[in-house]
Structure formats: C-alpha cells, structure tokens
Amino acid sequence: LTLRTLVIGTNDEAHRLSEILKRRGLGFAPIGYVGSPGLSPSPNGLPTIGDVDSLADLIRQHEAECLFVASTGVGSEDMLKVVQAARQTGAEVRVSANLPEILTTRLSVQTVANDLMAITLRPVRLTRIQEAMKRSFDVAFASLGLILSSPVTLVAAVAIGLTSRGPILFRQQRVTKGGREFTVYKFRTMTHNGDSLLPEDAPDKTAAFFKVEDDPRLTKVGGVLRKLSIDELPQLLNVVKGDMSLVGPRPLPVEQVNANPELLTPRHEVLTGVTGWWQVNGRSDLSAEEAVRLDLFYIENWALSLDLFIILKTVGVLLRRRGAY
C-alpha cells in the first residue's frame, strides 16, 4: 500500500526527502529523481530518470502515482510543468513545506497574487483567555490529583522514612519559564550524600538531561518509586503554587541549564511540566537533542486538547514503565 513516487528536484533537499520517504510505514516508494534539464545530482541510491520537460512521459513509463516536490529545488516555471503533468496523468502532487514539526491545524493556504500562494502559520502564543484556561485546568487537576493520590503519598513517605536516613522530600533548584529558578519537590529516592557511590565513568552531572541507568545511589524503596513514577507526585504542589504546569517541558537543574544554554534556553518559553511530549515519546531513552526537539514541538503546537492527550498518554507510559530510571 505504497505510492510509487518521483522526487522532483535534484538538490540536497531532494536527497534528504528521498531518504525520508524510504522509511517503512510512510506509504511512499521513491523510484527516481526528476530535475531541471542539465542538472546532475549527487545520487544516493536513486537514479535520475529525466527532467521536468518530459515529466508526463516519465510518469506513464514508470507508472508513478505521486510527485513529491522538493520546494527549494524547483522554480516557478518548473512547478507549472509539474502541475500540468500531474493533471494530464492523474498523479497526485505533494510539496515539502520546509517547516519544523507543526500541527496542520496551525496551517492554512492563501493566495497572495495570481502567481503566488503562501502557507500561513497561525501564531501559537497563548492569549490571556488561553493562559487562564490552562492555569484553571492545572489547578483543578493538580488539586484533584493530590487528593486522590494521598493514600499512595502517605505510604511512600512512611516507607522512605523507615528504610533510609534523610528527609522525606528531595528539594532542588530548577529552571522554569523565563529562566526563573524555583524549588522542585520530589520524594527522596537516593541515599543521603550518595554521589560518592557514582562510578568514575558516570556521565557529567551538568550534561543535559543527566540520568544514570541502574543508579547505585538509589535506595530499594527509591527504585520502586522511580519505576512507578511515584517520586514525581509532590510536584503537583509545584503546579498548585504556579511554578509548574501539568504539561510542559520537564524542569532541569540549574547547573544543567547553565552548562548548556544554547540547547536548553529555548525550552523556557513556557512553564515547565510534570509530564510532557518527550516523556510520552521515549522518556529517558531519548538523546538530549531529541528531547529538546520534542519539547519545541510542544511549544510550537500548544492546545488544551494536546495537554489532555499527553496526560492520557502518560497513563499508558507509566503502566509500561519504559524509560523510567
């Protein structure tokens, strides 16, 4: 159930496009490049089978069903030929947008002039009404969560107090919207002053999204709390206080943010969250770059419905316990 696809264009974007279209499950089967007359691309496994002047014949010859246009590799005159060939042969046309990961609900197509069309991107910055809705949603659900989870938090607190020395709650300075520092609350899951137990080859604690799999500092109770994500429940207090939201980029320690400002600062356009888009798409199994990319996707595409979706998906992630350590 794949579309036999001709990639229109012969530049670097066309090569990147063909590599993406080869991925399983996307529904495309790239069969070759089509370029402007006289262009010779750097091949990456696909042949260049002709140019746009003979596109209609190429479509029929290769039984192509889709024309995927690399927008930076095709001029307006060649685009006219692509549209004409598609009309004559019944092939469908798709044009790469060269936009970051953005939900299609934010996009619309507008005619600027007879010979110019544009993709319009709806601004994503929250209005005052939307901010009030998100805040009301956070307070209501966080308060309900604190009430419903109170038996679990009580058991966790008693277990921590009876099995290891140190405070019940772990407090740490982290960074939220606008670079503001705040104190995050979590159940303590590690031994008191346990950094001495870290192996010599442990990752640098200032590395973005620093995590240690099979962390030797974890107590037995702490390991269970981590696996079940119960250690995160006190952060509902941070939500009620207004330091965090239920959904948003995860708050990172101050030293990590200070050590990686270029990578991490863009995440602070919104309040940090108890859960977020990267948590439901891999959690600790993701690289720092992948996690930031997913956080920026959330910032670019915020909607209350997206928050609800992430919260519901978080339940499934917690049940599978994947990436929790």
Side-chain angles (χ1 to χ4, degrees):
L1 298 177
T2 58
L3 297 174
R4 290 177 58 81
T5 302
L6 292 176
V7 177
I8 313 300
T10 55
N11 62 351
D12 289 340
E13 185 198 350
H15 300 150
R16 183 178 66 87
L17 186 58
S18 70
E19 289 300 315
I20 293 173
L21 297 180
K22 289 177 183 178
R23 295 174 186 169
R24 291 176 60 86
L26 294 185
F28 300 94
I31 55 179
Y33 295 107
V34 176
S36 297
L39 287 181
S40 55
S42 300
N44 61 347
L46 284 182
T48 302
I49 62 173
D51 57 55
V52 291
D53 288 343
S54 55
L55 182 55
D57 292 334
L58 294 173
I59 294 171
R60 296 186 184 98
Q61 179 184 346
H62 294 274
E63 298 180 338
E65 301 161 287
C66 175
L67 309 176
F68 217 122
V69 181
S71 58
T72 59
V74 177
S76 57
E77 291 185 4
D78 284 345
M79 192 66 217
L80 200 58
K81 297 174 184 177
V82 171
V83 173
Q84 184 179 37
R87 184 176 65 249
Q88 293 171 351
T89 60
E92 68 174 56
V93 177
R94 304 196 182 201
V95 182
S96 63
N98 284 314
L99 289 171
E101 294 173 289
I102 290 173
L103 294 179
T104 54
T105 51
R106 291 186 58 205
L107 303 177
S108 62
V109 178
Q110 290 184 327
T111 301
V112 179
N114 290 335
D115 54 353
L116 178 62
M117 298 188 73
I119 296 174
T120 301
L121 182 62
R122 177 178 59 81
V124 76
R125 186 173 296 277
L126 274 60
T127 64
R128 290 186 178 180
I129 293 177
Q130 288 174 322
E131 287 181 343
M133 288 173 56
K134 185 171 174 65
R135 179 60 183 155
S136 300
F137 176 84
D138 285 342
V139 172
F141 274 78
S143 300
L144 180 63
L146 285 170
I147 294 171
L148 295 179
S149 65
S150 56
V152 176
T153 56
L154 179 60
V155 171
V158 171
I160 293 169
L162 292 177
T163 58
S164 62
R165 295 174 49 206
I168 302 297
L169 287 181
F170 170 75
R171 295 174 173 84
Q172 187 180 50
Q173 289 301 109
R174 299 203 177 185
V175 182
T176 188
K177 182 179 179 180
R180 180 172 64 87
E181 297 181 15
F182 74 102
T183 302
V184 74
Y185 304 122
K186 298 180 68 174
F187 280 127
R188 181 175 58 81
T189 58
M190 299 184 185
T191 57
H192 189 56
N193 296 326
D195 283 352
S196 60
L197 300 176
L198 283 175
E200 293 184 2
D201 59 348
D204 183 0
K205 291 177 64 177
T206 63
F209 301 94
F210 167 81
K211 281 281 187 178
V212 179
E213 194 170 358
D214 299 322
D215 197 327
R217 299 172 296 173
L218 286 180
T219 63
K220 290 183 178 179
V221 170
V224 174
L225 297 182
R226 285 271 189 98
K227 284 292 184 183
L228 299 176
S229 295
I230 293 173
D231 62 315
E232 309 283 358
L233 286 176
Q235 290 172 38
L236 295 175
L237 291 171
N238 289 115
V239 175
V240 174
K241 288 177 60 179
D243 293 326
M244 295 174 62
S245 173
L246 281 175
V247 181
R250 285 293 293 153
L252 296 178
V254 173
E255 59 266 26
Q256 290 186 28
V257 175
N258 290 341
N260 305 275
E262 292 186 6
L263 178 66
L264 300 179
T265 299
R267 304 170 69 252
H268 300 139
E269 293 183 27
V270 298
L271 281 176
T272 53
V274 178
T275 186
W277 190 236
W278 73 262
Q279 283 90 335
V280 299
N281 286 279
R283 302 186 78 181
S284 299
D285 293 333
L286 297 174
S287 68
E289 290 74 19
E290 289 172 322
V292 170
R293 180 178 60 82
L294 292 173
D295 280 338
L296 295 181
F297 172 88
Y298 172 79
I299 293 172
E300 282 288 346
N301 296 286
W302 180 86
L304 196 57
S305 57
L306 181 59
D307 279 6
L308 284 168
F309 174 77
I310 291 172
I311 290 172
L312 291 174
K313 196 170 181 182
T314 298
V315 175
V317 171
L318 293 179
L319 292 175
R320 290 194 301 272
R321 292 183 289 180
R322 181 184 175 189
Y325 50 81

